[in-house]
Amino acid sequence: MTARWTGPWPTEGIAFGADYNPEQWPEEVWADDVALMREAGVTLVSLGIFSWGQLEPAQGVFDFGWLDRIIDLLHENGIGVDLATPSAAPPVWLHLAHPEMLPVDADGLRLTHGSRESWCVSSPIIRHHATRIARVIAERYGHHPAVRMWHVSNELACHNGRCYCDVSAAAFRDWLGKEYADIDALNLAWGTAFWGQRYASFDQILPPRRTTTIANPGQRLDFERFSSDAFVAHLEAEAAVLREVTPHLPVTTNYMVMGDFHQIDYTQTTPLVDIVSNDHYLSAEDPRGWAELAFSADRVRGLAGGEPWVLMEHSTSAVNWQPRNLAKEPGQLLRNSLQHVARGSDGVLFFQWRQSRAGAEKYHSGMVPHAGRDSQLFRDVVELGATLGRLAEVRGSRVEQARVALLWDTQAWWAAELEAHPTVDLRYLDLARRLHGALVDAGVAVDVLPAGTALDGYDVVLVPTLYLAPQDLSDRLTDVVDRGGQVLVSYFSGIVDASDRVLLGGYPGAFRDLLGVRVEEFAPLAAEGTTTLSDGSTGEVWTERMTSSGAEVIATYLDGPSVGGPAVTRRDTPSGGAAWYLSTRLDDPSLADLLGRVLAAAGVSSLVPSPGGLEVVRRTSGSGSWLFALNHTSIDLPLHVSGHDLVADRRHEAGTDVPARGVVVVRED
Ligand code: GLA
Ligand code: GLA
């Protein structure tokens, strides 16, 4: 699925560095920058991400001098460059010449320039100019020895993810014309018989602009697909230019697999990049933010097909775009960084090198803070660089394939969160995150995979709220249970077809036979409501009125809207496999308990015997294995492996503590 990069990695060891924006500073500062980079052990910087306006101050008028000088300076100092195409920030002259390139929101309001990423992805203007400037840059710098990788644009679809202008409308109609054999097929898929929305021809269709009440869900789902595809096409167009001019360089684009972002179906982009990279920012006020980080990193590794990837951006300390931008605690910078490495990243980069003096992000931390070199933050950065230097031997190893797979899917996410569903309390990623968190807490390794990934080799497959399931998934899950594996499917999975039309005859239409259950009605709970199950578990948010048709009832509802009926079921197969069904959102302890039973049935246990609170991950290669252990608690916790700890650079005997809030990386004996 992912293009595997067989050329050299951009750096010798684990890449360490940041977005570097020298154009924000007078040239006198550059020498200091490079000296500090050397002190910190920086090996790679992303350059030029927002520099289009400086590089091409007027159409066809170029100012390369500054970029020539900084690339040479970096090269003289042994620092590699991840050179960006600058399409994330079109110059003002381009916007003024082509205001029609600015995006229009669902209310018909055309946005103005003055920020960044301010273009309609369907605009032929931006496509023309973005590929034009990409070629200019590739031809001028692509063979410079400092340049190690291409960074296409920036976080595609981050700010301008959806555009509803007339150009987008025409492109949407073209896209639909290719998706559907004819207008009748579209009418059927979208269910336009409802509310008399029937279309006589493709010409009549608009993007789902603001309308009176609930918009057609089929139209909205297709608009998500169309918009995502448009960004994929943009990536493809820029990448094609870069590959044509510099086939020797790997191409990446920084994903945003974090939090709630789901504007792009990244599975469509992985074949277009050589190295997967991701940006991740902690939700600072979330006490379990580190667990979300682990989930994000595992999703990225799943997208990368298990290959090493690059953490392209995170923050040394506070960001500036959350409601309350908490500074990182002592030790957190190291822990966050090594968590990503543990889960497969061979790079630790930041936004940004030097904290800006002016502009929108001047209160966002950097590697060099406003206080300058004489600061605890810079000392921490230097220490991180030294630690990553000692971890160089880990580069190129892979996170050991887990026995547990957890499936997720962007199409399901789009469809599950359309409006007018049974309850506002059900969010697509909620259960996936909580299951992942429970596995991390139990020290059990898990691969988080796009739902289309092959499931060979997995003994446990978790399928949380996969509302719209790939068509072949039921067969693939049946194969898993038939060969003795355990499958756990949750509520609101397998409900609709690819067009968001309900699969009839009892829910979940896609998985009834696999699970041996038949749900007649969804019965969500009132706000803050709970329900008690016969095994003592507590359910929240959601229940279902269902019957078993061949599955054993593990727990029933003792109260609530589905009282008396099955709540958790299991259909056993002759080979010792089982298909479990969970029809309510269990609270944390109950979920951990159920998961424990599923894991026990498969004989899956923790990676190393460890008390709760230690996050453990193993990376292996032909030359060794490295056990990462991160202590997210405020007490010291023992780790029962022995070898050499690369963080403290000393021997780690089995049973020695991982210090509170500390991390060890043990090259195992
Ligand atoms: C109103 C409308 C109906 C239907 C129902 C749904 O009564 O007239 O068409 O939308 O609401 O509750
Ligand atoms: C994103 C962007 C960066 C910067 C950071 C701030 O990751 O790519 O340019 O804005 O957010 O956190």
Side-chain angles (χ1 to χ4, degrees):
M1 183 163 55
T2 308
R4 292 187 177 195
W5 178 243
T6 51
W9 193 251
T11 57
E12 255 170 44
I14 291 177
F16 181 51
D19 284 16
Y20 179 36
N21 301 298
E23 68 273 25
Q24 293 180 13
W25 297 93
E27 284 202 32
E28 303 86 83
V29 178
W30 297 359
D32 189 47
D33 279 336
V34 175
L36 294 180
M37 285 179 191
R38 290 183 66 143
E39 185 178 346
V42 163
T43 55
L44 188 71
V45 294
S46 302
L47 209 56
I49 299 176
F50 302 109
S51 307
W52 195 347
Q54 269 89 354
L55 281 172
E56 192 180 16
Q59 180 158 2
V61 178
F62 295 100
D63 178 4
F64 291 123
W66 67 275
L67 191 55
D68 293 354
R69 290 193 292 283
I70 193 69
I71 292 183
D72 287 344
L73 182 63
L74 289 163
H75 184 56
E76 284 155 22
N77 286 275
I79 298 161
V81 171
D82 168 39
L83 191 58
T85 62
S87 54
V92 175
W93 59 257
L94 182 56
H95 279 308
L96 291 176
H98 293 285
E100 73 277 18
M101 174 182 115
L102 287 155
V104 171
D105 72 12
D107 290 337
L109 178 74
R110 191 177 292 279
L111 306 185
T112 190
H113 65 275
S115 187
R116 65 172 173 184
E117 294 170 29
S118 41
W119 38 268
C120 159
V121 66
S122 300
S123 163
I125 306 288
I126 185 67
R127 186 69 55 85
H128 167 74
H129 285 278
T131 50
R132 178 184 60 80
I133 190 77
R135 183 177 296 279
V136 168
I137 290 172
E139 285 174 350
R140 186 170 183 97
Y141 297 106
H143 292 87
H144 193 292
V147 177
R148 308 287 164 75
M149 178 158 69
W150 290 117
H151 180 295
V152 174
S153 204
N154 190 62
E155 293 183 340
L156 288 167
C158 173
H159 301 304
N160 61 348
R162 302 293 177 260
C163 177
Y164 299 80
C165 74
D166 290 342
V167 172
S168 298
F172 183 40
R173 289 189 284 265
D174 281 353
W175 185 92
L176 292 167
K178 290 179 192 127
E179 284 295 301
Y180 295 98
D182 53 33
I183 197 67
D184 290 338
L186 178 141
N187 279 308
L188 198 65
W190 287 9
T192 57
F194 190 79
W195 284 351
Q197 293 169 342
R198 190 175 179 286
Y199 294 100
S201 75
F202 286 99
D203 306 339
Q204 298 178 329
I205 297 173
L206 292 172
R209 293 174 181 159
R210 173 86 78 108
T211 181
T212 45
T213 179
I214 306 163
N216 182 294
Q219 178 193 17
R220 287 197 51 199
L221 181 57
D222 273 346
F223 191 65
E224 293 298 304
R225 292 174 172 142
F226 153 76
S227 301
S228 175
D229 283 359
F231 282 99
V232 175
H234 184 92
L235 169 63
E236 190 170 17
E238 287 204 29
V241 172
L242 301 173
R243 289 214 172 86
E244 183 196 322
V245 183
T246 57
H248 64 291
L249 286 178
V251 172
T252 192
T253 188
N254 48 341
Y255 291 172
M256 265 184 86
V257 177
M258 58 170 273
D260 281 333
F261 184 85
H262 60 294
Q263 302 274 73
I264 293 193
D265 182 352
Y266 286 119
T267 60
Q268 307 300 306
T269 68
T270 50
L272 301 174
V273 298
D274 298 299
I275 293 175
V276 164
S277 68
N278 191 51
D279 297 350
H280 183 271
Y281 292 94
L282 281 181
S283 171
E285 290 182 86
D286 178 355
R288 278 182 60 87
W290 61 269
E292 193 279 326
L293 186 164
F295 182 53
S296 158
D298 280 357
R299 282 198 283 152
V300 177
R301 186 177 74 257
L303 285 164
E307 298 288 318
W309 52 278
V310 171
L311 173 65
M312 186 60 81
E313 294 180 24
H314 69 154
S315 64
T316 56
S317 190
V319 300
N320 71 325
W321 44 265
Q322 293 180 8
R324 283 161 292 273
N325 297 293
L326 310 188
K328 289 194 178 175
E329 298 165 5
Q332 201 180 354
L333 171 61
L334 180 70
R335 260 191 345 270
N336 292 163
S337 299
L338 294 191
Q339 246 190 304
H340 287 286
V341 176
R343 294 182 182 278
S345 177
D346 275 357
V348 174
L349 282 78
F350 295 88
F351 177 84
Q352 62 179 329
W353 165 249
R354 190 182 280 277
Q355 184 173 14
S356 302
R357 179 171 200 178
E361 296 184 318
K362 58 182 170 294
Y363 295 117
H364 192 294
S365 59
M367 293 174 85
V368 182
H370 288 155
R373 176 177 182 272
D374 183 14
S375 58
Q376 187 57 46
L377 186 50
F378 187 68
R379 284 187 283 277
D380 291 347
V381 163
V382 171
E383 191 195 316
L384 174 61
T387 305
L388 290 173
R390 288 194 295 279
L391 262 66
E393 64 187 57
V394 173
R395 189 183 68 68
S397 65
R398 294 169 60 120
V399 176
E400 232 180 7
Q401 183 179 323
R403 294 179 59 197
V404 181
L406 191 158
L407 306 187
W408 72 292
D409 185 77
T410 304
Q411 308 266 335
W413 194 342
W414 288 331
E417 298 203 347
L418 291 170
E419 53 197 327
H421 278 189
T423 174
V424 295
D425 295 328
L426 195 157
R427 300 304 305 272
Y428 170 71
L429 217 56
D430 167 67
L431 186 61
R433 259 191 75 169
R434 293 176 62 241
L435 280 168
H436 185 268
L439 289 162
V440 172
D441 288 346
V444 173
V446 53
D447 290 338
V448 183
L449 305 175
T453 313
L455 299 173
D456 312 317
Y458 291 100
D459 298 317
V460 175
V461 181
L462 306 174
V463 187
T465 51
L466 200 70
Y467 171 69
L468 187 168
Q471 233 191 341
D472 66 341
L473 184 59
S474 176
D475 288 344
R476 291 191 286 121
L477 293 173
T478 302
D479 289 345
V480 173
V481 295
D482 284 348
R483 61 170 166 77
Q486 307 291 314
V487 167
L488 172 67
V489 177
S490 89
Y491 52 91
F492 221 43
S493 298
I495 305 300
V496 293
D497 68 12
S499 303
D500 195 33
R501 291 178 308 181
V502 172
L503 300 166
L504 301 176
Y507 315 119
F511 300 130
R512 268 196 319 263
D513 294 341
L514 166 74
L515 299 166
V517 299
R518 180 164 179 271
V519 177
E520 295 183 23
E521 193 174 3
F522 300 135
L525 299 174
E528 313 298 327
T530 61
T531 176
T532 306
L533 274 49
S534 57
D535 64 356
S537 297
T538 301
E540 302 163 342
V541 175
W542 186 274
T543 76
E544 293 176 349
R545 293 173 174 165
M546 69 168 176
T547 53
S548 155
S549 50
E552 185 182 338
V553 178
I554 306 290
T556 56
Y557 289 104
L558 293 186
D559 55 25
S562 301
V563 62
V568 183
T569 62
R570 191 187 69 222
R571 184 179 72 81
D572 296 320
T573 62
S575 54
W580 304 65
Y581 185 59
L582 170 63
S583 71
T584 181
R585 181 192 194 271
L586 294 176
D587 69 4
D588 287 345
S590 311
L591 187 66
D593 183 69
L594 175 66
L595 189 59
R597 281 182 275 167
V598 174
L599 295 175
V604 171
S605 54
S606 59
L607 217 48
V608 292
S610 75
L614 260 197
E615 179 187 357
V616 284
V617 187
R618 180 174 280 127
R619 289 183 61 158
T620 59
S621 75
S623 63
S625 81
W626 295 267
L627 197 285
F628 288 70
L630 299 113
N631 185 346
H632 298 289
T633 77
S634 47
I635 51 168
D636 300 348
L637 294 170
L639 175 67
H640 298 280
V641 300
S642 58
H644 186 79
D645 171 17
L646 298 171
V647 177
D649 199 12
R650 64 168 175 240
R651 174 119 195 114
H652 183 98
E653 294 300 344
T656 314
D657 283 339
V658 180
R661 311 240 165 240
V663 41
V664 303
V665 180
V666 180
R667 184 205 305 126
E668 298 177 278
D669 291 339

